[in-house]
Amino acid sequence: MKLAVIIFIFTLASVYAPFPAGHPYNWANPYIEPVWEKFSKETQAEVYRKWLTVAPFKLALQEYKDKLDRRKMADAAAWEAAKQLIGSKLKELKQAFAGQELKPSIFSVTKDEQNHQEKVRIEQRYQTKTQIKWERFQSAFQHALYLRLAEKRALYQKFLERARLHGRQNKAAKRKLIQVKDSIEESYIENLEKLKDKLYKTWLAGEEVKDKIRSEFKKF
């Protein structure tokens, strides 16, 4: 029954034990804790030991999924920024070609020698809508590029942890195979010794029978 519950937990959440806040698999605690509390301390320790074997791979897998989701959202944001930039550039080119490009006009009030006030138009440096959209696109593109690289790094880490897990499992399997082989050899040697003892006792019994027969013949 306990084995079936462990398999169920692994299938449901891919984890073996309750997890603290902030852990990638913390969301599975409501499903795990009711069953986990029914386990004995020995069973909990054994299950947790098994989880520690696969934990690095599971965490790397979760990290890759998180980076993948974030990269997709960043790509979508970058594409949206790119579309807005292209639209703004086309509009700006159209206005510039038609001589309708909008520029801010700011008037400054000055006074001449006769203390007469006069408005003088000055031009100040400013950012057009297209320049602002350029900056937004650049920021979104850099963020998407960073997450794409982070995703590739997480993907490699996932493959690395999977290879390590495979290596640990192979090593454990080989160790178990050696143990089984040693056990079989010990059992074989033990049985062989028992057979030798039986054969020796049988030979001794045969010698005793021969001696008795010889003694009987000597009487005649």
Side-chain angles (χ1 to χ4, degrees):
M1 176 62 182
K2 290 179 180 178
L3 179 60
V5 172
I6 293 172
I7 295 174
F8 168 74
I9 292 175
F10 181 79
T11 304
L12 177 65
S14 298
V15 292
Y16 285 108
F19 300 100
H23 195 280
Y25 291 103
N26 177 261
W27 60 269
N29 281 350
Y31 303 98
I32 299 174
E33 288 175 349
V35 181
W36 179 256
E37 293 173 355
K38 297 179 182 179
F39 289 166
S40 65
K41 296 296 183 182
E42 293 76 13
T43 303
Q44 288 181 354
E46 178 63 19
V47 170
Y48 190 68
R49 184 187 65 80
K50 290 181 179 180
W51 159 247
L52 291 179
T53 302
V54 298
F57 169 67
K58 292 296 182 181
L59 293 176
L61 177 61
Q62 189 65 30
E63 181 70 13
Y64 167 67
K65 289 181 178 179
D66 178 64
K67 290 293 189 296
L68 177 63
D69 291 340
R70 292 177 60 191
R71 192 268 300 168
K72 288 180 178 179
M73 290 189 292
D75 281 352
W79 277 109
E80 181 61 28
K83 288 190 292 184
Q84 292 183 5
L85 173 61
I86 293 172
S88 181
K89 287 167 65 176
L90 292 175
K91 184 177 180 180
E92 187 178 50
L93 286 171
K94 183 179 178 181
Q95 289 175 343
F97 186 77
Q100 298 175 350
E101 190 174 7
L102 300 178
K103 292 183 179 180
S105 297
I106 300 177
F107 292 89
S108 177
V109 179
T110 60
K111 292 183 180 180
D112 57 16
E113 296 179 355
Q114 287 76 28
N115 204 27
H116 294 154
Q117 292 184 349
E118 182 180 4
K119 285 185 177 182
V120 179
R121 191 176 71 176
I122 60 174
E123 292 186 0
Q124 294 184 350
R125 296 181 61 184
Y126 75 102
Q127 284 185 310
T128 65
K129 290 183 178 180
T130 301
Q131 289 173 334
I132 294 174
K133 292 186 185 300
W134 260 114
E135 292 182 356
R136 290 177 180 174
F137 168 71
Q138 183 178 356
S139 176
F141 180 80
Q142 289 175 344
H143 183 59
L145 180 61
Y146 162 76
L147 288 178
R148 185 172 290 273
L149 294 175
E151 177 201 350
K152 299 304 180 186
R153 182 178 180 181
L155 178 62
Y156 167 74
Q157 190 65 29
K158 184 193 75 166
F159 285 133
L160 177 61
E161 294 299 342
R162 184 67 185 90
R164 287 172 175 170
L165 176 60
H166 183 71
R168 287 193 295 269
Q169 291 174 339
N170 278 350
K171 189 175 181 180
K174 289 179 180 179
R175 186 164 55 245
K176 187 173 182 180
L177 181 62
I178 292 174
Q179 291 174 350
V180 172
K181 182 180 178 182
D182 292 342
S183 177
I184 292 174
E185 288 180 352
E186 290 176 1
S187 177
Y188 173 76
I189 292 173
E190 183 180 353
N191 292 331
L192 184 61
E193 291 297 327
K194 290 180 179 179
L195 179 61
K196 286 181 179 179
D197 290 339
K198 289 181 180 180
L199 291 175
Y200 180 68
K201 290 178 180 179
T202 302
W203 180 79
L204 288 177
E207 290 297 319
E208 290 178 359
V209 171
K210 288 180 181 180
D211 290 339
K212 288 180 179 180
I213 293 174
R214 290 193 190 101
S215 300
E216 290 296 331
F217 275 111
K218 287 180 180 179
K219 291 179 180 180
F220 292 103

